[in-house]
Amino acid sequence: MGISVKQNLILEQNYNVENLFLKHFTALSEEESEAVRSWRNHQEVRAFMYQQHITSKEEHQRFVKGLHNNLEKGYWAVFKENEGLGVISLTRINIFHSYAFLGIYVSPQWHHQGVGKQLLSALEFLAFQKIGLHSLRLEVLEENQKAIAFYERNGFLKEGCLRDFALIHGQFKNIVLMGKIDEN
Ligand SMILES: CC(C)(COP(=O)(O)OP(=O)(O)OC[C@H]1O[C@@H](n2cnc3c(N)ncnc32)[C@H](O)[C@@H]1OP(=O)(O)O)[C@@H](O)C(=O)NCCC(=O)NCCS
């Protein structure tokens, strides 16, 4: 059981998916990496994450370093014609059971313009077609109704609720578990 070396090689690389370029975090220039950090630190993104503190440059660099040769997770910044659109990730990748958890955030300047949909379909292509996973799962704060509606519009089903699962600013919050199974 476990992830083969080949899987690891697939994770730590860049991809072209239709008109999007998926650049692995470990391949980003310092400037690109800092742009990613600024999107992640923006209030409209940070407010919906498990970790809501401002990420420092050093912390971000340590995080990126940890993605080298990582068998269980991959993060990609997504570009369209050199314009950074957002970030997609696959974590808790389990090759035996053929699932992963996804993550997504759009650069704040691109919110409400249909970019999330493009990023999500690139992520599904990567997970289902390139890596060959069977299912995708995600966890979303119950109060993030915008994201829940976004996932439902894109074929994800609610599969459960993790009650009082995340401690955010001193308050326990419910998490909605959602999933999609590859139909091909
Ligand atoms: C959740 C999130 C990824 C959705 O991304 P998005 O780009 O806003 O979502 P969509 O691709 O569905 O686009 C949504 C809007 O664009 C509109 N839209 C869709 N296609 C469009 C197009 N081609 N042209 C113009 N507008 C379009 C939709 O009508 C919709 O409008 P609304 O948001 O006012 O209802 C994004 O809001 C985000 O990054 N949020 C913060 C982080 C977060 O919550 N991540 C999820 C944690 S689990």
PDB file of all heavy atoms in Angstrom, residues 13-25 27-29 32 39 75-88 118-119 122 126:
ATOM      1  N   GLN A  13       5.120  18.378 -10.506  1.00  0.00           N
ATOM      2  CA  GLN A  13       5.408  18.873 -11.845  1.00  0.00           C
ATOM      3  C   GLN A  13       4.321  19.840 -12.281  1.00  0.00           C
ATOM      4  O   GLN A  13       3.284  19.955 -11.622  1.00  0.00           O
ATOM      5  CB  GLN A  13       5.544  17.712 -12.837  1.00  0.00           C
ATOM      6  CG  GLN A  13       4.297  16.906 -13.039  1.00  0.00           C
ATOM      7  CD  GLN A  13       4.490  15.833 -14.110  1.00  0.00           C
ATOM      8  OE1 GLN A  13       4.602  16.139 -15.291  1.00  0.00           O
ATOM      9  NE2 GLN A  13       4.543  14.587 -13.691  1.00  0.00           N
ATOM     10  N   ASN A  14       4.584  20.504 -13.406  1.00  0.00           N
ATOM     11  CA  ASN A  14       3.627  21.480 -13.918  1.00  0.00           C
ATOM     12  C   ASN A  14       2.760  20.823 -14.989  1.00  0.00           C
ATOM     13  O   ASN A  14       3.169  19.858 -15.630  1.00  0.00           O
ATOM     14  CB  ASN A  14       4.375  22.668 -14.522  1.00  0.00           C
ATOM     15  CG  ASN A  14       5.385  23.251 -13.557  1.00  0.00           C
ATOM     16  OD1 ASN A  14       5.148  23.255 -12.349  1.00  0.00           O
ATOM     17  ND2 ASN A  14       6.506  23.728 -14.073  1.00  0.00           N
ATOM     18  N   TYR A  15       1.565  21.387 -15.182  1.00  0.00           N
ATOM     19  CA  TYR A  15       0.657  20.818 -16.176  1.00  0.00           C
ATOM     20  C   TYR A  15       0.031  21.927 -17.010  1.00  0.00           C
ATOM     21  O   TYR A  15      -0.236  23.020 -16.484  1.00  0.00           O
ATOM     22  CB  TYR A  15      -0.503  20.087 -15.483  1.00  0.00           C
ATOM     23  CG  TYR A  15      -0.088  18.876 -14.693  1.00  0.00           C
ATOM     24  CD1 TYR A  15       0.198  18.978 -13.338  1.00  0.00           C
ATOM     25  CD2 TYR A  15       0.014  17.631 -15.303  1.00  0.00           C
ATOM     26  CE1 TYR A  15       0.580  17.869 -12.608  1.00  0.00           C
ATOM     27  CE2 TYR A  15       0.390  16.514 -14.577  1.00  0.00           C
ATOM     28  CZ  TYR A  15       0.675  16.649 -13.231  1.00  0.00           C
ATOM     29  OH  TYR A  15       1.054  15.556 -12.516  1.00  0.00           O
ATOM     30  N   ASN A  16      -0.237  21.604 -18.262  1.00  0.00           N
ATOM     31  CA  ASN A  16      -1.097  22.453 -19.084  1.00  0.00           C
ATOM     32  C   ASN A  16      -2.450  21.768 -19.152  1.00  0.00           C
ATOM     33  O   ASN A  16      -2.532  20.592 -19.546  1.00  0.00           O
ATOM     34  CB  ASN A  16      -0.521  22.585 -20.508  1.00  0.00           C
ATOM     35  CG  ASN A  16       0.680  23.518 -20.515  1.00  0.00           C
ATOM     36  OD1 ASN A  16       0.545  24.712 -20.296  1.00  0.00           O
ATOM     37  ND2 ASN A  16       1.857  22.958 -20.745  1.00  0.00           N
ATOM     38  N   VAL A  17      -3.482  22.468 -18.737  1.00  0.00           N
ATOM     39  CA  VAL A  17      -4.840  21.910 -18.848  1.00  0.00           C
ATOM     40  C   VAL A  17      -5.669  22.942 -19.606  1.00  0.00           C
ATOM     41  O   VAL A  17      -5.966  24.031 -19.102  1.00  0.00           O
ATOM     42  CB  VAL A  17      -5.457  21.637 -17.454  1.00  0.00           C
ATOM     43  CG1 VAL A  17      -6.861  21.079 -17.605  1.00  0.00           C
ATOM     44  CG2 VAL A  17      -4.586  20.674 -16.651  1.00  0.00           C
ATOM     45  N   GLU A  18      -6.020  22.590 -20.850  1.00  0.00           N
ATOM     46  CA  GLU A  18      -6.671  23.527 -21.771  1.00  0.00           C
ATOM     47  C   GLU A  18      -5.862  24.835 -21.817  1.00  0.00           C
ATOM     48  O   GLU A  18      -4.675  24.788 -22.079  1.00  0.00           O
ATOM     49  CB  GLU A  18      -8.140  23.719 -21.384  1.00  0.00           C
ATOM     50  CG  GLU A  18      -8.881  22.394 -21.534  1.00  0.00           C
ATOM     51  CD  GLU A  18     -10.372  22.476 -21.469  1.00  0.00           C
ATOM     52  OE1 GLU A  18     -10.906  23.489 -21.012  1.00  0.00           O
ATOM     53  OE2 GLU A  18     -11.002  21.481 -21.871  1.00  0.00           O
ATOM     54  N   ASN A  19      -6.485  25.970 -21.497  1.00  0.00           N
ATOM     55  CA  ASN A  19      -5.722  27.230 -21.616  1.00  0.00           C
ATOM     56  C   ASN A  19      -5.089  27.660 -20.286  1.00  0.00           C
ATOM     57  O   ASN A  19      -4.667  28.806 -20.145  1.00  0.00           O
ATOM     58  CB  ASN A  19      -6.619  28.362 -22.162  1.00  0.00           C
ATOM     59  CG  ASN A  19      -7.870  28.537 -21.318  1.00  0.00           C
ATOM     60  OD1 ASN A  19      -8.088  27.775 -20.369  1.00  0.00           O
ATOM     61  ND2 ASN A  19      -8.664  29.520 -21.652  1.00  0.00           N
ATOM     62  N   LEU A  20      -5.034  26.742 -19.342  1.00  0.00           N
ATOM     63  CA  LEU A  20      -4.465  27.076 -18.031  1.00  0.00           C
ATOM     64  C   LEU A  20      -3.114  26.410 -17.842  1.00  0.00           C
ATOM     65  O   LEU A  20      -2.878  25.307 -18.332  1.00  0.00           O
ATOM     66  CB  LEU A  20      -5.409  26.620 -16.913  1.00  0.00           C
ATOM     67  CG  LEU A  20      -6.816  27.230 -16.910  1.00  0.00           C
ATOM     68  CD1 LEU A  20      -7.638  26.669 -15.754  1.00  0.00           C
ATOM     69  CD2 LEU A  20      -6.765  28.748 -16.848  1.00  0.00           C
ATOM     70  N   PHE A  21      -2.241  27.101 -17.105  1.00  0.00           N
ATOM     71  CA  PHE A  21      -0.945  26.531 -16.751  1.00  0.00           C
ATOM     72  C   PHE A  21      -0.914  26.320 -15.240  1.00  0.00           C
ATOM     73  O   PHE A  21      -1.086  27.270 -14.468  1.00  0.00           O
ATOM     74  CB  PHE A  21       0.183  27.473 -17.188  1.00  0.00           C
ATOM     75  CG  PHE A  21       1.561  26.959 -16.874  1.00  0.00           C
ATOM     76  CD1 PHE A  21       1.972  25.697 -17.311  1.00  0.00           C
ATOM     77  CD2 PHE A  21       2.453  27.736 -16.151  1.00  0.00           C
ATOM     78  CE1 PHE A  21       3.249  25.216 -17.016  1.00  0.00           C
ATOM     79  CE2 PHE A  21       3.729  27.258 -15.849  1.00  0.00           C
ATOM     80  CZ  PHE A  21       4.122  25.995 -16.283  1.00  0.00           C
ATOM     81  N   LEU A  22      -0.721  25.082 -14.835  1.00  0.00           N
ATOM     82  CA  LEU A  22      -0.697  24.718 -13.417  1.00  0.00           C
ATOM     83  C   LEU A  22       0.761  24.588 -12.999  1.00  0.00           C
ATOM     84  O   LEU A  22       1.451  23.653 -13.416  1.00  0.00           O
ATOM     85  CB  LEU A  22      -1.414  23.380 -13.191  1.00  0.00           C
ATOM     86  CG  LEU A  22      -2.945  23.347 -13.151  1.00  0.00           C
ATOM     87  CD1 LEU A  22      -3.600  24.145 -14.250  1.00  0.00           C
ATOM     88  CD2 LEU A  22      -3.455  21.909 -13.156  1.00  0.00           C
ATOM     89  N   LYS A  23       1.226  25.521 -12.196  1.00  0.00           N
ATOM     90  CA  LYS A  23       2.639  25.545 -11.819  1.00  0.00           C
ATOM     91  C   LYS A  23       2.783  25.090 -10.365  1.00  0.00           C
ATOM     92  O   LYS A  23       2.221  25.738  -9.454  1.00  0.00           O
ATOM     93  CB  LYS A  23       3.189  26.967 -12.013  1.00  0.00           C
ATOM     94  CG  LYS A  23       4.697  27.039 -12.058  1.00  0.00           C
ATOM     95  CD  LYS A  23       5.133  28.415 -12.567  1.00  0.00           C
ATOM     96  CE  LYS A  23       6.639  28.526 -12.700  1.00  0.00           C
ATOM     97  NZ  LYS A  23       7.063  29.859 -13.124  1.00  0.00           N
ATOM     98  N   HIS A  24       3.509  23.994 -10.175  1.00  0.00           N
ATOM     99  CA  HIS A  24       3.694  23.449  -8.830  1.00  0.00           C
ATOM    100  C   HIS A  24       4.380  24.491  -7.945  1.00  0.00           C
ATOM    101  O   HIS A  24       5.283  25.202  -8.398  1.00  0.00           O
ATOM    102  CB  HIS A  24       4.527  22.163  -8.903  1.00  0.00           C
ATOM    103  CG  HIS A  24       4.515  21.375  -7.631  1.00  0.00           C
ATOM    104  ND1 HIS A  24       5.435  21.569  -6.630  1.00  0.00           N
ATOM    105  CD2 HIS A  24       3.679  20.397  -7.193  1.00  0.00           C
ATOM    106  CE1 HIS A  24       5.167  20.727  -5.628  1.00  0.00           C
ATOM    107  NE2 HIS A  24       4.109  20.010  -5.946  1.00  0.00           N
ATOM    108  N   PHE A  25       3.946  24.558  -6.672  1.00  0.00           N
ATOM    109  CA  PHE A  25       4.492  25.582  -5.763  1.00  0.00           C
ATOM    110  C   PHE A  25       6.025  25.567  -5.719  1.00  0.00           C
ATOM    111  O   PHE A  25       6.653  26.601  -5.547  1.00  0.00           O
ATOM    112  CB  PHE A  25       3.952  25.358  -4.339  1.00  0.00           C
ATOM    113  CG  PHE A  25       2.678  26.123  -4.023  1.00  0.00           C
ATOM    114  CD1 PHE A  25       1.852  26.609  -5.027  1.00  0.00           C
ATOM    115  CD2 PHE A  25       2.296  26.352  -2.700  1.00  0.00           C
ATOM    116  CE1 PHE A  25       0.681  27.301  -4.730  1.00  0.00           C
ATOM    117  CE2 PHE A  25       1.141  27.050  -2.393  1.00  0.00           C
ATOM    118  CZ  PHE A  25       0.328  27.519  -3.401  1.00  0.00           C
ATOM    119  N   ALA A  27       7.996  25.133  -8.038  1.00  0.00           N
ATOM    120  CA  ALA A  27       8.585  25.672  -9.276  1.00  0.00           C
ATOM    121  C   ALA A  27       8.361  27.176  -9.402  1.00  0.00           C
ATOM    122  O   ALA A  27       8.836  27.800 -10.360  1.00  0.00           O
ATOM    123  CB  ALA A  27       7.982  24.952 -10.480  1.00  0.00           C
ATOM    124  N   LEU A  28       7.664  27.782  -8.455  1.00  0.00           N
ATOM    125  CA  LEU A  28       7.347  29.214  -8.565  1.00  0.00           C
ATOM    126  C   LEU A  28       8.575  30.080  -8.292  1.00  0.00           C
ATOM    127  O   LEU A  28       9.404  29.745  -7.430  1.00  0.00           O
ATOM    128  CB  LEU A  28       6.255  29.589  -7.552  1.00  0.00           C
ATOM    129  CG  LEU A  28       4.874  28.945  -7.733  1.00  0.00           C
ATOM    130  CD1 LEU A  28       3.955  29.356  -6.575  1.00  0.00           C
ATOM    131  CD2 LEU A  28       4.257  29.327  -9.071  1.00  0.00           C
ATOM    132  N   SER A  29       8.660  31.199  -9.003  1.00  0.00           N
ATOM    133  CA  SER A  29       9.704  32.191  -8.693  1.00  0.00           C
ATOM    134  C   SER A  29       9.340  32.836  -7.356  1.00  0.00           C
ATOM    135  O   SER A  29       8.200  32.710  -6.881  1.00  0.00           O
ATOM    136  CB  SER A  29       9.747  33.264  -9.779  1.00  0.00           C
ATOM    137  OG  SER A  29       8.571  34.048  -9.707  1.00  0.00           O
ATOM    138  N   GLU A  32       6.356  35.083  -7.807  1.00  0.00           N
ATOM    139  CA  GLU A  32       5.089  34.347  -7.941  1.00  0.00           C
ATOM    140  C   GLU A  32       4.645  33.789  -6.587  1.00  0.00           C
ATOM    141  O   GLU A  32       3.466  33.813  -6.245  1.00  0.00           O
ATOM    142  CB  GLU A  32       5.265  33.198  -8.951  1.00  0.00           C
ATOM    143  CG  GLU A  32       5.431  33.680 -10.377  1.00  0.00           C
ATOM    144  CD  GLU A  32       5.933  32.598 -11.333  1.00  0.00           C
ATOM    145  OE1 GLU A  32       6.527  31.586 -10.861  1.00  0.00           O
ATOM    146  OE2 GLU A  32       5.755  32.763 -12.549  1.00  0.00           O
ATOM    147  N   TRP A  39      -2.545  36.369  -1.985  1.00  0.00           N
ATOM    148  CA  TRP A  39      -3.940  35.911  -2.193  1.00  0.00           C
ATOM    149  C   TRP A  39      -4.414  35.164  -0.951  1.00  0.00           C
ATOM    150  O   TRP A  39      -5.507  35.363  -0.476  1.00  0.00           O
ATOM    151  CB  TRP A  39      -4.062  34.949  -3.374  1.00  0.00           C
ATOM    152  CG  TRP A  39      -3.489  35.423  -4.666  1.00  0.00           C
ATOM    153  CD1 TRP A  39      -3.305  36.731  -5.056  1.00  0.00           C
ATOM    154  CD2 TRP A  39      -3.006  34.605  -5.736  1.00  0.00           C
ATOM    155  NE1 TRP A  39      -2.741  36.753  -6.302  1.00  0.00           N
ATOM    156  CE2 TRP A  39      -2.551  35.477  -6.751  1.00  0.00           C
ATOM    157  CE3 TRP A  39      -2.922  33.233  -5.963  1.00  0.00           C
ATOM    158  CZ2 TRP A  39      -2.026  35.012  -7.956  1.00  0.00           C
ATOM    159  CZ3 TRP A  39      -2.405  32.756  -7.152  1.00  0.00           C
ATOM    160  CH2 TRP A  39      -1.957  33.642  -8.137  1.00  0.00           C
ATOM    161  N   TYR A  75       0.416  21.297  -4.372  1.00  0.00           N
ATOM    162  CA  TYR A  75      -0.225  22.617  -4.527  1.00  0.00           C
ATOM    163  C   TYR A  75       0.250  23.240  -5.836  1.00  0.00           C
ATOM    164  O   TYR A  75       1.448  23.207  -6.140  1.00  0.00           O
ATOM    165  CB  TYR A  75       0.172  23.548  -3.360  1.00  0.00           C
ATOM    166  CG  TYR A  75      -0.577  23.277  -2.075  1.00  0.00           C
ATOM    167  CD1 TYR A  75      -0.319  22.138  -1.325  1.00  0.00           C
ATOM    168  CD2 TYR A  75      -1.543  24.167  -1.611  1.00  0.00           C
ATOM    169  CE1 TYR A  75      -0.999  21.883  -0.148  1.00  0.00           C
ATOM    170  CE2 TYR A  75      -2.235  23.922  -0.423  1.00  0.00           C
ATOM    171  CZ  TYR A  75      -1.945  22.783   0.296  1.00  0.00           C
ATOM    172  OH  TYR A  75      -2.630  22.548   1.464  1.00  0.00           O
ATOM    173  N   TRP A  76      -0.692  23.816  -6.582  1.00  0.00           N
ATOM    174  CA  TRP A  76      -0.359  24.458  -7.856  1.00  0.00           C
ATOM    175  C   TRP A  76      -0.966  25.860  -7.922  1.00  0.00           C
ATOM    176  O   TRP A  76      -2.141  26.042  -7.566  1.00  0.00           O
ATOM    177  CB  TRP A  76      -0.912  23.654  -9.036  1.00  0.00           C
ATOM    178  CG  TRP A  76      -0.285  22.308  -9.204  1.00  0.00           C
ATOM    179  CD1 TRP A  76       0.754  21.972 -10.013  1.00  0.00           C
ATOM    180  CD2 TRP A  76      -0.661  21.083  -8.522  1.00  0.00           C
ATOM    181  NE1 TRP A  76       1.054  20.639  -9.879  1.00  0.00           N
ATOM    182  CE2 TRP A  76       0.212  20.065  -8.981  1.00  0.00           C
ATOM    183  CE3 TRP A  76      -1.635  20.747  -7.581  1.00  0.00           C
ATOM    184  CZ2 TRP A  76       0.130  18.751  -8.524  1.00  0.00           C
ATOM    185  CZ3 TRP A  76      -1.720  19.427  -7.122  1.00  0.00           C
ATOM    186  CH2 TRP A  76      -0.837  18.458  -7.592  1.00  0.00           C
ATOM    187  N   ALA A  77      -0.171  26.825  -8.385  1.00  0.00           N
ATOM    188  CA  ALA A  77      -0.716  28.141  -8.726  1.00  0.00           C
ATOM    189  C   ALA A  77      -1.171  28.039 -10.178  1.00  0.00           C
ATOM    190  O   ALA A  77      -0.505  27.412 -11.012  1.00  0.00           O
ATOM    191  CB  ALA A  77       0.357  29.209  -8.580  1.00  0.00           C
ATOM    192  N   VAL A  78      -2.321  28.649 -10.472  1.00  0.00           N
ATOM    193  CA  VAL A  78      -2.885  28.528 -11.816  1.00  0.00           C
ATOM    194  C   VAL A  78      -2.742  29.860 -12.554  1.00  0.00           C
ATOM    195  O   VAL A  78      -3.106  30.917 -12.017  1.00  0.00           O
ATOM    196  CB  VAL A  78      -4.370  28.111 -11.751  1.00  0.00           C
ATOM    197  CG1 VAL A  78      -4.941  27.958 -13.150  1.00  0.00           C
ATOM    198  CG2 VAL A  78      -4.524  26.808 -10.950  1.00  0.00           C
ATOM    199  N   PHE A  79      -2.204  29.775 -13.765  1.00  0.00           N
ATOM    200  CA  PHE A  79      -1.990  30.971 -14.585  1.00  0.00           C
ATOM    201  C   PHE A  79      -2.753  30.853 -15.902  1.00  0.00           C
ATOM    202  O   PHE A  79      -2.897  29.744 -16.443  1.00  0.00           O
ATOM    203  CB  PHE A  79      -0.500  31.140 -14.927  1.00  0.00           C
ATOM    204  CG  PHE A  79       0.378  31.380 -13.730  1.00  0.00           C
ATOM    205  CD1 PHE A  79       0.881  30.316 -12.989  1.00  0.00           C
ATOM    206  CD2 PHE A  79       0.699  32.680 -13.335  1.00  0.00           C
ATOM    207  CE1 PHE A  79       1.689  30.531 -11.883  1.00  0.00           C
ATOM    208  CE2 PHE A  79       1.504  32.907 -12.228  1.00  0.00           C
ATOM    209  CZ  PHE A  79       2.003  31.834 -11.499  1.00  0.00           C
ATOM    210  N   LYS A  80      -3.218  32.011 -16.386  1.00  0.00           N
ATOM    211  CA  LYS A  80      -3.785  32.065 -17.738  1.00  0.00           C
ATOM    212  C   LYS A  80      -3.096  33.229 -18.426  1.00  0.00           C
ATOM    213  O   LYS A  80      -3.224  34.374 -17.955  1.00  0.00           O
ATOM    214  CB  LYS A  80      -5.291  32.298 -17.653  1.00  0.00           C
ATOM    215  CG  LYS A  80      -6.029  32.199 -18.961  1.00  0.00           C
ATOM    216  CD  LYS A  80      -7.493  32.465 -18.662  1.00  0.00           C
ATOM    217  CE  LYS A  80      -8.392  32.037 -19.763  1.00  0.00           C
ATOM    218  NZ  LYS A  80      -9.803  32.168 -19.340  1.00  0.00           N
ATOM    219  N   GLU A  81      -2.377  32.933 -19.484  1.00  0.00           N
ATOM    220  CA  GLU A  81      -1.603  33.964 -20.202  1.00  0.00           C
ATOM    221  C   GLU A  81      -0.794  34.826 -19.204  1.00  0.00           C
ATOM    222  O   GLU A  81      -0.895  36.056 -19.195  1.00  0.00           O
ATOM    223  CB  GLU A  81      -2.539  34.842 -21.034  1.00  0.00           C
ATOM    224  CG  GLU A  81      -3.130  34.092 -22.204  1.00  0.00           C
ATOM    225  CD  GLU A  81      -4.427  34.718 -22.684  1.00  0.00           C
ATOM    226  OE1 GLU A  81      -4.784  35.793 -22.178  1.00  0.00           O
ATOM    227  OE2 GLU A  81      -5.066  34.107 -23.555  1.00  0.00           O
ATOM    228  N   ASN A  82      -0.042  34.150 -18.337  1.00  0.00           N
ATOM    229  CA  ASN A  82       0.848  34.796 -17.352  1.00  0.00           C
ATOM    230  C   ASN A  82       0.135  35.541 -16.225  1.00  0.00           C
ATOM    231  O   ASN A  82       0.790  36.174 -15.392  1.00  0.00           O
ATOM    232  CB  ASN A  82       1.849  35.747 -18.036  1.00  0.00           C
ATOM    233  CG  ASN A  82       2.860  34.962 -18.846  1.00  0.00           C
ATOM    234  OD1 ASN A  82       3.245  33.856 -18.459  1.00  0.00           O
ATOM    235  ND2 ASN A  82       3.263  35.522 -19.973  1.00  0.00           N
ATOM    236  N   GLU A  83      -1.175  35.508 -16.232  1.00  0.00           N
ATOM    237  CA  GLU A  83      -1.934  36.152 -15.148  1.00  0.00           C
ATOM    238  C   GLU A  83      -2.258  35.102 -14.092  1.00  0.00           C
ATOM    239  O   GLU A  83      -2.807  34.037 -14.421  1.00  0.00           O
ATOM    240  CB  GLU A  83      -3.237  36.720 -15.731  1.00  0.00           C
ATOM    241  CG  GLU A  83      -4.183  37.337 -14.740  1.00  0.00           C
ATOM    242  CD  GLU A  83      -3.858  38.808 -14.457  1.00  0.00           C
ATOM    243  OE1 GLU A  83      -3.589  39.538 -15.422  1.00  0.00           O
ATOM    244  OE2 GLU A  83      -3.866  39.182 -13.277  1.00  0.00           O
ATOM    245  N   GLY A  84      -1.894  35.375 -12.840  1.00  0.00           N
ATOM    246  CA  GLY A  84      -2.181  34.418 -11.761  1.00  0.00           C
ATOM    247  C   GLY A  84      -3.645  34.462 -11.375  1.00  0.00           C
ATOM    248  O   GLY A  84      -4.185  35.536 -11.097  1.00  0.00           O
ATOM    249  N   LEU A  85      -4.309  33.308 -11.384  1.00  0.00           N
ATOM    250  CA  LEU A  85      -5.749  33.261 -11.115  1.00  0.00           C
ATOM    251  C   LEU A  85      -6.099  32.745  -9.727  1.00  0.00           C
ATOM    252  O   LEU A  85      -7.115  33.103  -9.153  1.00  0.00           O
ATOM    253  CB  LEU A  85      -6.458  32.371 -12.143  1.00  0.00           C
ATOM    254  CG  LEU A  85      -6.369  32.767 -13.606  1.00  0.00           C
ATOM    255  CD1 LEU A  85      -7.148  31.782 -14.461  1.00  0.00           C
ATOM    256  CD2 LEU A  85      -6.895  34.187 -13.805  1.00  0.00           C
ATOM    257  N   GLY A  86      -5.261  31.833  -9.209  1.00  0.00           N
ATOM    258  CA  GLY A  86      -5.605  31.235  -7.918  1.00  0.00           C
ATOM    259  C   GLY A  86      -4.796  29.983  -7.659  1.00  0.00           C
ATOM    260  O   GLY A  86      -3.786  29.741  -8.342  1.00  0.00           O
ATOM    261  N   VAL A  87      -5.250  29.213  -6.696  1.00  0.00           N
ATOM    262  CA  VAL A  87      -4.495  28.034  -6.246  1.00  0.00           C
ATOM    263  C   VAL A  87      -5.417  26.830  -6.143  1.00  0.00           C
ATOM    264  O   VAL A  87      -6.574  26.948  -5.722  1.00  0.00           O
ATOM    265  CB  VAL A  87      -3.870  28.324  -4.854  1.00  0.00           C
ATOM    266  CG1 VAL A  87      -3.344  27.054  -4.209  1.00  0.00           C
ATOM    267  CG2 VAL A  87      -2.745  29.359  -4.982  1.00  0.00           C
ATOM    268  N   ILE A  88      -4.887  25.683  -6.541  1.00  0.00           N
ATOM    269  CA  ILE A  88      -5.603  24.414  -6.348  1.00  0.00           C
ATOM    270  C   ILE A  88      -4.670  23.446  -5.632  1.00  0.00           C
ATOM    271  O   ILE A  88      -3.447  23.534  -5.774  1.00  0.00           O
ATOM    272  CB  ILE A  88      -6.086  23.805  -7.694  1.00  0.00           C
ATOM    273  CG1 ILE A  88      -4.923  23.643  -8.671  1.00  0.00           C
ATOM    274  CG2 ILE A  88      -7.199  24.633  -8.291  1.00  0.00           C
ATOM    275  CD1 ILE A  88      -5.322  22.967  -9.978  1.00  0.00           C
ATOM    276  N   GLN A 118     -13.370  27.337 -13.587  1.00  0.00           N
ATOM    277  CA  GLN A 118     -12.249  26.910 -14.452  1.00  0.00           C
ATOM    278  C   GLN A 118     -11.177  26.184 -13.634  1.00  0.00           C
ATOM    279  O   GLN A 118     -10.625  25.174 -14.067  1.00  0.00           O
ATOM    280  CB  GLN A 118     -11.599  28.124 -15.119  1.00  0.00           C
ATOM    281  CG  GLN A 118     -12.486  28.838 -16.120  1.00  0.00           C
ATOM    282  CD  GLN A 118     -11.803  30.101 -16.645  1.00  0.00           C
ATOM    283  OE1 GLN A 118     -10.653  30.079 -17.076  1.00  0.00           O
ATOM    284  NE2 GLN A 118     -12.515  31.208 -16.612  1.00  0.00           N
ATOM    285  N   LEU A 119     -10.906  26.726 -12.444  1.00  0.00           N
ATOM    286  CA  LEU A 119      -9.883  26.107 -11.600  1.00  0.00           C
ATOM    287  C   LEU A 119     -10.339  24.725 -11.131  1.00  0.00           C
ATOM    288  O   LEU A 119      -9.556  23.775 -11.110  1.00  0.00           O
ATOM    289  CB  LEU A 119      -9.597  27.001 -10.374  1.00  0.00           C
ATOM    290  CG  LEU A 119      -8.390  27.924 -10.478  1.00  0.00           C
ATOM    291  CD1 LEU A 119      -8.425  28.779 -11.716  1.00  0.00           C
ATOM    292  CD2 LEU A 119      -8.242  28.787  -9.243  1.00  0.00           C
ATOM    293  N   ALA A 122     -10.033  22.183 -13.904  1.00  0.00           N
ATOM    294  CA  ALA A 122      -8.623  21.792 -14.102  1.00  0.00           C
ATOM    295  C   ALA A 122      -8.188  20.820 -12.998  1.00  0.00           C
ATOM    296  O   ALA A 122      -7.482  19.840 -13.257  1.00  0.00           O
ATOM    297  CB  ALA A 122      -7.732  23.029 -14.104  1.00  0.00           C
ATOM    298  N   LEU A 126      -6.886  16.970 -13.410  1.00  0.00           N
ATOM    299  CA  LEU A 126      -5.627  16.508 -12.820  1.00  0.00           C
ATOM    300  C   LEU A 126      -5.869  15.264 -11.951  1.00  0.00           C
ATOM    301  O   LEU A 126      -5.161  14.255 -12.060  1.00  0.00           O
ATOM    302  CB  LEU A 126      -5.058  17.651 -11.966  1.00  0.00           C
ATOM    303  CG  LEU A 126      -3.711  17.485 -11.326  1.00  0.00           C
ATOM    304  CD1 LEU A 126      -2.650  17.286 -12.394  1.00  0.00           C
ATOM    305  CD2 LEU A 126      -3.373  18.726 -10.503  1.00  0.00           C
TER     306      LEU A 126
END
